[in-house]
Amino acid sequence: MIDFKQLQDRAAVAKPIVAQFDDAARAADFSLTHDGLLFDYSKTTIDRPSRDILLGLLDTASVAQKREAMFTGQPINETEGRAVLHTALRNMDAGPIIVDGEDVMSGIRETLARMEAFAASVRDGSFTGAGGSITDVINIGIGGSDLGPVMAVRALSPYHDGPRCHFVSNIDPGDVAEVLKRCDPTRTLVIVSSKTFTTIETITNAETVRDWMAASVADPAAQFAAISSDLDKTAAFGIPADRVFGFGSYVGGRYSVWGPIGLSVMLAVGPAHFRAFLAGGAAMDSHFRSAPWDQNLPALLALVGLWHSHACGYATRAVLPYDNRLGRLPAYLQQLEMESNGKGVGMDGIALPYHSGAVVWGEPGTNGQHAFYQLIHQGTRVIPCEFMIAARAHEPDLQHQQELLIANCLAQSKALMQGRDLDAARKIAATKGFTGPELDRQAAHRVFQGNRPSVTLAYEMLTPYVLGQIVALYEHRVFVEGAILGINSFDQWGVELGKELATQLQPVVDGTATAAGQDASTQALVGFLRSAGA
C-alpha cells in the first residue's frame, strides 16, 4: 500500500495557486502539449518537489510493469482471471496478442470487418426493414452498453449521415415508450446489447420492442441485431448468427465502445469516421505506453487526481466540458471511474487504509455556471474542476459564440484560482450605496475564497480522432490511479448484490410471493406501492 503521508504534509503547507505563479516558468512547466492536445495543470498547488514525489509513486507501484502486463494480455483482472484488452479493439496495427493460447487480434479484425459490412448495408439501403430502408436505430443496453455509445453518438453529431440513433437503457417503462413514439416499426433496426444476453433490463426492453414491432412487421427478428457472446440465446430470440457481433471476456462493459458495442456509433457516422475514433484511441495508447512519465498525459492527469483526492482530501471532482456535444461525457466518466476504482479492498483482499476513487460528476458549460458553480466558487467544500474546451466550433458562422464560450471557460478557472478578497468586495458593496455595518455584511457575501484548483484540456475541434484521444486518456488515467491505489480497476462486484436482491424481490412486488422474512422497511414500502398501484 502507498503511504500518502509525505504528500499530505506537503499539501498542508503548499503555497496558494496564485503565489505559485511567482515562478515565471510555471505555466510552461506545468502544462503539456501532445498530438493536438494541451493539458494545463498549472492552476493547482502542486509544485516541483511535490510533482517529483507524485512521479515517484509510479515506480513505487510498479505502474510501468502493470501497464505492460495490460497491453500484452496478461490476466491483470485477477479476481476474475481475465486479461484486460480494450486497447486491442482500437489497435488495428497490433501484432499477435495471445490470450489462453489464441491470438485475439485475428478475431477482433474479423469482427470489425463484419461490423463495417453490416453498417454499410444499412446505410446504403441494401439492408431494409419491412417498410423500406432503415431510418432509425434503437440501441438497447445498460451501463457500458449504453453510456459509451450514447456519449459518442452525441459527441459526433456533426458527422451523422446515417440513420437516427435512439437509446433505451432504463427498465422504467417511460424510457422505452418515449423512444418508440419517435420510430416507424417497419423502418427501425434494433440492436440488443448484452454480452451474456441475460441482463434483465436489456432483455425486458428488447421483448417490449419486439412486441411493439410485431404489430406491424411479420418477422420482427429480421430487424434485430445483437451484441452478445451467447449465440444460443440470441438464436432463441430469433436473431441469426450473421447479425450477432460478439467480443471477448477481456473487454469490460465500460471499456467496450471501441468494439461491437459501438455499432450504433458506426451506423450514425460511418465506418471511416469510426475508424478515426479508433485511431485517436490507439494514438493515445502509444503515447501512454512510450512517453516518459513527466511527459505522459494519462499519468499526469492521474497524479493530479491523486494529489487532490489523497493529499488534499478533496472527495469529488467535477468534469466540465465547454462543448455541448460532450454533454454525456461526465456520466460516461462517472461510470468509468467510479465503477472501476470504487473499491474497498486492495488486490490482496485487505481493507484499504485510505479512500479509493473520487466521486465524479459534472455538466457542460455554460449551463453549469447557472446551476452548481455557486457551490464550486463559494461553498465550504473544495471541488477540483476539469475543464475541456475546443478552439474551433463546427459552425464557422457562429465562431463568435465559440469565442464567448472560450472566454467563459477561461474566466471560470481564473476566478476559481484568484478569488476576490474582502477589500475588493467592500469596494463593490460601496458602489451599491451600502455603508457602515450593512456594507460589511454585503461585502462578506461577495467574497470568493479562491485557491480552488482546476486543470484544462484544450484541443482544436471535437473530431472522431480527438474524441478517441479523450476517452482513451481517461481510461488510462483510471488505470494509473487504480495501479497506485493497489486495487483492481476491472471488476465490479459492487453491482451484484442489488441485482440479486431485485430478482428475489420481484415476486414479492408482483404478489406471487409473500413479503414475510423481508425487513420491516421493505415490507412497508412493498405494501404501500402495491396498494398505490392497485
Side-chain angles (χ1 to χ4, degrees):
M1 296 296 178
I2 297 293
D3 184 357
F4 290 101
K5 181 64 165 58
Q6 187 180 15
L7 284 169
Q8 291 163 354
D9 290 343
R10 289 202 61 83
V13 298
K15 291 195 300 185
I17 300 170
V18 169
Q20 301 282 353
F21 284 89
D22 292 343
D23 176 1
R26 171 81 182 175
D29 192 29
F30 284 78
S31 63
L32 171 63
T33 302
H34 172 74
D35 197 14
L37 301 180
L38 168 63
F39 175 57
D40 178 356
Y41 62 106
S42 62
K43 294 189 183 76
T44 69
T45 56
I46 300 172
D47 57 17
R48 288 185 181 85
S50 296
R51 183 172 61 186
D52 289 342
I53 297 169
L54 286 165
L55 289 167
L57 297 180
L58 298 162
D59 293 330
T60 301
S62 303
V63 176
Q65 292 87 339
K66 294 174 182 177
R67 177 184 60 189
E68 192 64 13
M70 177 177 71
F71 276 99
T72 55
Q74 297 178 45
I76 65 170
N77 179 354
E78 295 181 10
T79 60
E80 298 179 290
R82 294 175 179 173
V84 175
L85 282 172
H86 50 280
T87 55
L89 297 177
R90 56 197 183 226
N91 188 359
M92 294 303 103
D93 297 326
I97 301 177
I98 307 301
V99 177
D100 297 330
E102 179 184 353
D103 175 18
V104 301
M105 289 307 304
S106 59
I108 288 171
R109 293 190 183 98
E110 178 187 5
T111 299
L112 179 61
R114 290 180 57 230
M115 288 171 59
E116 291 178 332
F118 179 65
S121 72
V122 173
R123 288 165 53 84
D124 67 19
S126 55
F127 178 92
T128 64
S133 59
I134 297 298
T135 58
D136 293 270
V137 174
I138 300 175
N139 184 89
I140 304 175
I142 197 166
S145 298
D146 170 76
L147 287 165
V150 75
M151 176 275 296
V153 165
R154 177 169 173 175
L156 300 180
S157 60
Y159 301 89
H160 287 198
D161 57 2
R164 295 182 295 268
C165 289
H166 313 271
F167 296 87
V168 173
S169 59
N170 204 323
I171 196 66
D172 182 334
D175 192 15
V176 66
E178 289 299 319
V179 167
L180 297 183
K181 288 178 184 177
R182 302 195 293 270
C183 299
D184 175 354
T186 70
R187 304 185 68 182
T188 296
L189 171 68
V190 182
I191 304 172
V192 185
S193 298
S194 172
K195 183 186 287 188
T196 62
F197 221 71
T198 59
T199 309
I200 188 167
E201 297 94 339
T202 299
I203 300 307
T204 301
N205 278 321
E207 291 168 345
T208 296
V209 175
R210 183 176 59 182
D211 292 344
W212 164 77
M213 191 174 284
S216 306
V217 176
D219 180 15
Q223 292 175 213
F224 273 67
I227 313 300
S228 177
S229 299
D230 195 318
L231 290 174
D232 291 336
K233 288 187 174 65
T234 54
F237 197 88
I239 304 172
D242 64 345
R243 291 203 303 277
V244 179
F245 305 89
F247 55 98
S249 62
Y250 48 78
V251 178
R254 57 193 175 277
Y255 297 91
S256 62
V257 68
W258 311 98
I261 290 295
L263 179 59
S264 58
V265 185
M266 185 184 287
L267 287 162
V269 304
H273 286 133
F274 190 80
R275 285 260 185 175
F277 170 63
L278 299 185
M284 184 56 67
D285 292 344
S286 178
H287 167 73
F288 175 53
R289 202 172 179 183
S290 62
W293 288 132
D294 63 351
Q295 296 294 307
N296 194 298
L297 280 168
L300 290 173
L301 183 59
L303 294 175
V304 171
L306 289 170
W307 170 261
H308 289 146
S309 60
H310 287 74
C312 302
Y314 305 144
T316 81
R317 69 170 67 112
V319 177
L320 307 170
Y322 275 65
D323 199 322
N324 200 56
R325 293 186 174 102
L326 288 177
R328 292 297 291 167
L329 183 66
Y332 176 80
L333 296 180
Q334 192 173 68
Q335 187 205 20
L336 178 65
E337 299 202 28
M338 294 172 68
E339 192 167 83
S340 295
N341 288 345
K343 308 296 169 60
V345 299
M347 295 289 279
D348 54 10
I350 298 173
L352 294 174
Y354 39 68
H355 291 301
S356 52
V359 176
V360 177
W361 58 283
E363 280 288 328
T366 57
N367 287 4
Q369 293 175 201
H370 297 269
F372 52 78
Y373 277 40
Q374 169 64 44
L375 185 145
I376 290 176
H377 280 290
Q378 289 188 308
T380 56
R381 297 175 178 87
V382 176
I383 299 170
C385 295
E386 299 182 357
F387 295 101
M388 298 180 188
I389 186 67
R392 291 196 295 121
H394 282 278
E395 298 76 23
D397 56 329
L398 296 177
Q399 184 62 20
H400 64 286
Q401 290 195 210
Q402 183 67 18
E403 291 165 0
L404 180 57
L405 184 71
I406 292 170
N408 271 272
C409 179
L410 301 184
Q412 292 301 319
S413 66
K414 184 178 179 67
L416 287 166
M417 173 181 67
Q418 73 178 29
R420 178 193 289 153
D421 64 20
L422 182 58
D423 286 344
R426 283 176 58 84
K427 291 176 182 177
I428 292 171
T431 65
K432 306 292 184 182
F434 297 112
T435 60
E438 183 61 12
L439 185 148
D440 293 334
R441 187 178 77 87
Q442 290 287 343
H445 287 279
R446 291 165 171 78
V447 170
F448 289 68
Q449 294 298 322
N451 200 38
R452 304 206 166 190
S454 69
V455 300
T456 300
L457 182 70
Y459 45 92
E460 180 183 350
M461 189 167 69
L462 186 61
T463 63
Y465 183 88
V466 168
L467 181 66
Q469 289 178 296
I470 292 171
V471 174
L473 167 65
Y474 273 85
E475 286 180 348
H476 294 319
R477 181 248 193 96
V478 167
F479 168 83
V480 172
E481 287 189 350
I484 291 174
L485 293 171
I487 58 182
N488 184 356
S489 298
F490 302 103
D491 61 9
Q492 55 281 327
W493 298 109
V495 306
E496 297 299 321
L497 180 58
K499 293 198 295 187
E500 293 170 7
L501 294 177
T503 301
Q504 296 171 20
L505 278 169
Q506 185 175 355
V508 176
V509 173
D510 65 25
T512 58
T514 176
Q518 301 293 336
D519 63 88
S521 172
T522 300
Q523 288 189 43
L525 288 166
V526 168
F528 173 81
L529 292 167
R530 288 182 59 187
S531 176

